[in-house]
Amino acid sequence: MVGSYVREVFKDFDLVLTDIVDGYIYLEVEDKVSIRKLLDKVKPDYLLHLAAATYVDKCEIEPEWANRVNVEGTNNFALACKESNIPMIYISTGAVFNGDKESPYVETDNISPSN
């Protein structure tokens, strides 16, 4: 989703792009060791974490899988960034809140998906 725009938006920056599809450095969010090795090798100034299971129907049918990718995977990046003192920028889904709040949402807000 958002990740498909990163290459164009940040074309003037030196990027190291990862994914689980061809054309990128292969990286599974569930693989703590590989994440740590890549950060040690690349030594990025920032980490933009956009990996997520976005297929809502599959997430509802396979909540354990969704948790491994969206929660544990994000935690793996956060811990690796913390250990390496690398700022992590995380983009969440818009499917958690309905958009009616007039101020920015925070982690403790009640969920209210519009679907």
Side-chain angles (χ1 to χ4, degrees), residues 2-3 6 47-52 54 74 88-94:
V2 174
V6 168
L47 184 129
L48 179 58
H49 174 49
L50 302 173
T54 59
T74 298
M88 182 175 112
I89 300 162
Y90 174 66
I91 306 297
S92 183
T93 179

Side-chain angles (χ1 to χ4, degrees), residues 9-21:
V9 171
F10 294 102
K11 64 184 173 202
D12 297 332
F13 294 85
D14 185 22
L15 299 177
V16 176
L17 302 173
T18 64
D19 204 329
I20 57 171
V21 297

Side-chain angles (χ1 to χ4, degrees), residues 1-103:
M1 300 262 200
V2 174
S4 65
Y5 300 100
V6 168
R7 186 171 284 174
E8 177 61 27
V9 171
F10 294 102
K11 64 184 173 202
D12 297 332
F13 294 85
D14 185 22
L15 299 177
V16 176
L17 302 173
T18 64
D19 204 329
I20 57 171
V21 297
D22 290 339
Y24 297 90
I25 296 171
Y26 187 87
L27 186 65
E28 285 277 355
V29 299
E30 300 167 71
D31 188 346
K32 295 179 199 179
V33 174
S34 292
I35 291 169
R36 185 79 203 146
K37 285 181 181 179
L38 183 63
L39 292 181
D40 288 344
K41 178 181 177 184
V42 175
K43 298 181 184 358
D45 295 325
Y46 300 92
L47 184 129
L48 179 58
H49 174 49
L50 302 173
T54 59
Y55 183 31
V56 176
D57 292 340
K58 183 175 179 179
C59 289
E60 290 175 350
I61 294 168
E62 298 181 40
E64 296 85 14
W65 168 77
N67 186 68
R68 282 194 317 272
V69 174
N70 293 339
V71 177
E72 294 173 27
T74 298
N75 190 56
N76 291 340
F77 278 109
L79 291 174
C81 285
K82 181 178 180 182
E83 291 171 8
S84 297
N85 200 28
I86 298 168
M88 182 175 112
I89 300 162
Y90 174 66
I91 306 297
S92 183
T93 179
V96 176
F97 304 111
N98 62 15
D100 292 341
K101 187 176 176 185
E102 293 185 20
S103 60

